[in-house]
Amino acid sequence: MSISRITSRSRRLNKAQKLSVAGVSTLAAAAVAFSLVPDDASATTEPQAVSGAPVAFAGKGQTDSVQASIIEQHSTAEQLVKAADAAKAKAAAAEKKKADQAEAKAKAVAEAKSKAAAKAKADAQKRSSSTSSRAADRKPVFADNLDGWIREALSIMHEKKIPGTYEGLHRNIMRESSGNPRAINNWDINAINGVPSKGLLQVIKPTFDFYHVAGTKKDQYDPVANITAAANYAADKYGSIDNVDSAY
């Protein structure tokens, strides 16, 4: 057989060959069926069908590469999602920490203010109590004379709510004893009855004992005790020592 004939036969075979694609799967596999035309152009026999065997698709390597790329992209997407979730969680944790710190700081400030206020109040109460205590401990000092006796008696009368003024006491003292705490009346009816009037305001013993003011001496001649007992008696009988202008 000559070379020209072989070439002519090859051309005839290429033209006569029929390629049929059975289908493409997800792995890009294909099955191709084809038939051959007899090399004798004048032959009258019918062409025989040749069963085609599956052949590998020419792009299999590309399919594997695409599949690997898809897997890689999927993995990358999952990693991105995880990274995003981790970033969100981290941001949320940081925000919560910041809020907790702010709340703790505000609470600490409030507690500090409360403690400071409580301390200030306690200090103020302590100072007030100390001042009151010192004031209570300080007893006024009165002169040992008529003015001092009257003023001390008025202080006690004020405490015991016994009415009377400096003027009313002084006026009656000057009339009754001229300011002598040891004065005694030995000539009136009381003296005749054995109970003479004594002291600055000339009170008899029964009257002094009955109207004696607690906290003073039980002595008719004691100036302060005598004044307060007489003022107490006058308040009961006349409303006040200020209302007395004569023997009472």
Side-chain angles (χ1 to χ4, degrees), residues 87-100:
K88 288 181 180 179
K90 185 177 181 181
E95 192 66 25
K96 186 177 183 302
K97 183 179 180 181
K98 184 178 179 181
D100 291 344

Side-chain angles (χ1 to χ4, degrees), residues 140-193:
V141 178
F142 300 100
D144 188 22
N145 54 33
L146 181 59
D147 178 74
W149 301 330
I150 293 174
R151 292 186 185 282
E152 186 175 354
L154 283 171
S155 176
I156 295 171
M157 289 166 58
H158 176 74
E159 181 184 346
K160 303 295 184 179
K161 301 187 184 307
I162 299 172
T165 63
Y166 187 99
E167 186 279 330
L169 291 173
H170 186 271
R171 172 166 41 83
N172 281 282
I173 288 171
M174 296 308 293
R175 186 188 67 252
E176 294 292 331
S177 65
S178 299
N180 178 12
R182 305 298 298 181
I184 182 172
N185 186 328
N186 289 316
W187 58 86
D188 66 4
I189 189 62
N190 291 318
I192 295 172
N193 292 330

Side-chain angles (χ1 to χ4, degrees), residues 225-239:
N226 188 280
I227 292 173
T228 54
N232 195 22
Y233 164 76
D236 184 36
K237 296 297 182 180
Y238 306 102

Side-chain angles (χ1 to χ4, degrees), residues 100-124:
D100 291 344
Q101 289 176 341
E103 183 180 356
K105 184 177 180 181
K107 185 177 180 181
V109 171
E111 288 179 352
K113 287 183 178 180
S114 178
K115 287 181 180 179
K119 186 177 184 302
K121 184 177 180 180
D123 290 344

Side-chain angles (χ1 to χ4, degrees), residues 72-88:
E72 183 180 358
Q73 291 177 14
H74 180 68
S75 177
T76 302
E78 287 183 342
Q79 291 176 358
L80 289 174
V81 170
K82 289 180 180 179
D85 290 342
K88 288 181 180 179

Side-chain angles (χ1 to χ4, degrees), residues 8 15 22 29 34 45 55 62 70 89 93 95 112 131 146 148 161 173 186 188 191 228 235 243:
S8 176
K15 290 179 181 179
F34 65 92
T45 61
V55 295
Q62 294 179 352
I70 292 173
E95 192 66 25
T131 301
L146 181 59
K161 301 187 184 307
I173 288 171
N186 289 316
D188 66 4
T228 54
N243 298 329

